[in-house]
Amino acid sequence: MWQKIQNRLRLIVQVGFTALTNGYVLGFIKGRIYKGPTKALCVPGLNCYSCPGALGACPIGSLQAVLGSRNYRFSFYIIGFLIFIGSLIGRFVCGWLCPFGLIQDLLYKIPFLKKRKRKNLPGHRWLIWLKYVILVVFVILLPMFYVDIIGQGSPWFCQFICPSGTLTAGIPLVLLNKDLQGAIGFLFAWKVAILVVIVLLSLMVYRPFCKYLCPLGAVYGLFNPIALYRYQVDESQCNRCGSCQRACKMDIRVWENPNSRECIRCGDCIRSCKRGAICTSMKKNRSEGEKNDK
């Protein structure tokens, strides 16, 4: 039983955290957004503020709202939150705590169509930089400088791209509110089209949104090499057999770059290494502490 729990630990944590951060059941029943005190707090993953069940706010949506305000406020809370989470665990958030990451994982498990790794994807080496372009242009620059007559910017990423918001907020709210059904137009259709493309790609490619489009993953990825929670490779044990790369759904050459910006800390590489050459910084520090005690 314990072995089964260990094998499915990540999935259990993903489902549990998604349920915890989207636990306002009345929102889905009444078609209303929760507006309680916890909504002023950010959650680590891409969790849409407008989701009927969301109890917290998405850091990317919150950042756009602050940067696009006509008062030109700078939120030390939001920037500090991103720095704190990033420096603590990096893209561990993507692999374990993000609701939309969970959705993509479940889609990829469906035995439909041939699964493809990055080496078979045209333009992968360039597409991985697209999420950084989206971060700079749609999350930072456009909300700050493309403003209306009263100096108010728009949440460009949330409004024009985010498939997570479409799936968890836009579609449920439209289905539950007749007034919104009469107001939908081209923008809603555009967002649904993006979502459909992401869903179809997720059946064949592991986490296409995380790899190529997510600005939150771009932020956390910058912290992977310096985060407190990192991966480490014992070169005296590693024979570069490539088993870690074959197990890695992000197709990372772990022995060369264990803290790649693309790594979501799923742990598959650690479990695949028969020589025990890969470990986390936490486990290594604990092992060293035990040796010193002896």
Side-chain angles (χ1 to χ4, degrees):
M1 176 65 74
W2 176 243
Q3 185 63 41
K4 290 182 178 179
I5 293 176
Q6 284 186 316
N7 292 338
R8 299 187 177 182
L9 179 60
R10 187 165 75 97
L11 178 61
I12 293 171
V13 172
Q14 286 177 291
V15 172
F17 196 79
T18 297
L20 178 65
T21 54
N22 294 277
Y24 185 62
V25 180
L26 285 177
F28 291 105
I29 296 174
K30 298 181 178 180
R32 298 178 182 175
I33 300 173
Y34 175 72
K35 297 182 179 179
T38 59
K39 217 49 181 290
L41 303 176
C42 288
V43 295
L46 201 70
N47 201 94
C48 186
Y49 179 96
S50 297
C51 173
L55 296 172
C58 170
I60 290 296
S62 300
L63 181 61
Q64 290 173 95
V66 170
L67 294 177
S69 67
R70 61 181 179 178
N71 297 322
Y72 300 101
R73 294 178 300 169
F74 180 84
S75 175
F76 287 99
Y77 165 69
I78 298 172
I79 299 298
F81 177 85
L82 290 170
I83 293 175
F84 174 75
I85 297 297
S87 60
L88 190 65
I89 54 178
R91 289 198 76 177
F92 178 92
V93 172
C94 306
W96 292 72
L97 306 179
C98 181
F100 199 63
L102 168 63
I103 292 169
Q104 291 175 90
D105 281 351
L106 295 177
L107 288 170
Y108 190 75
K109 290 178 182 293
I110 297 174
F112 179 71
L113 300 179
K114 185 179 180 181
K115 310 303 180 183
R116 304 181 66 180
K117 279 199 170 185
R118 78 177 188 185
K119 60 185 178 182
N120 299 320
L121 297 176
H124 170 83
R125 59 181 298 185
W126 304 111
L127 287 173
I128 58 174
W129 295 100
L130 183 56
K131 56 182 173 286
Y132 296 97
V133 174
I134 290 174
L135 172 65
V136 173
V137 176
F138 285 86
V139 176
I140 299 175
L141 296 181
L142 286 176
M144 288 181 65
F145 299 110
Y146 196 88
V147 297
D148 58 23
I149 193 172
I150 62 172
Q152 187 77 32
S154 299
W156 285 76
F157 173 75
C158 297
Q159 190 172 347
F160 293 99
I161 298 177
C162 186
S164 176
T166 305
L167 179 63
T168 62
I171 292 177
L173 289 175
V174 167
L175 291 176
L176 295 170
N177 292 276
K178 291 184 178 180
D179 293 339
L180 290 178
Q181 293 172 13
I184 61 175
F186 173 78
L187 181 57
F188 184 75
W190 166 257
K191 293 286 295 292
V192 170
I194 292 177
L195 174 63
V196 170
V197 171
I198 294 297
V199 168
L200 292 177
L201 284 175
S202 297
L203 296 171
M204 300 177 289
V205 180
Y206 186 70
R207 291 198 177 207
F209 178 74
C210 299
K211 285 180 179 176
Y212 306 126
L213 300 176
C214 183
L216 187 58
V219 173
Y220 290 143
L222 296 174
F223 290 92
N224 263 5
I226 61 172
L228 182 63
Y229 183 84
R230 301 187 306 277
Y231 282 179
Q232 298 177 348
V233 176
D234 186 343
E235 294 185 0
S236 65
Q237 295 294 324
C238 177
N239 64 354
R240 302 194 175 192
C241 65
S243 62
C244 52
Q245 183 180 9
R246 290 191 293 272
C248 177
K249 295 185 181 69
M250 304 299 279
D251 201 23
I252 297 168
R253 297 167 68 89
V254 182
W255 68 90
E256 291 182 353
N257 190 7
N259 295 297
S260 165
R261 292 188 300 269
E262 304 305 309
C263 176
I264 60 171
R265 306 302 194 218
C266 67
D268 286 349
C269 60
I270 296 176
R271 289 186 291 272
S272 72
C273 184
K274 296 179 181 180
R275 301 173 67 91
I278 310 171
C279 67
T280 68
S281 55
M282 301 296 185
K283 185 175 181 180
K284 183 175 182 180
N285 290 337
R286 189 162 57 245
S287 299
E288 290 178 349
E290 291 174 357
K291 289 181 180 179
N292 292 333
D293 291 338
K294 292 180 181 180

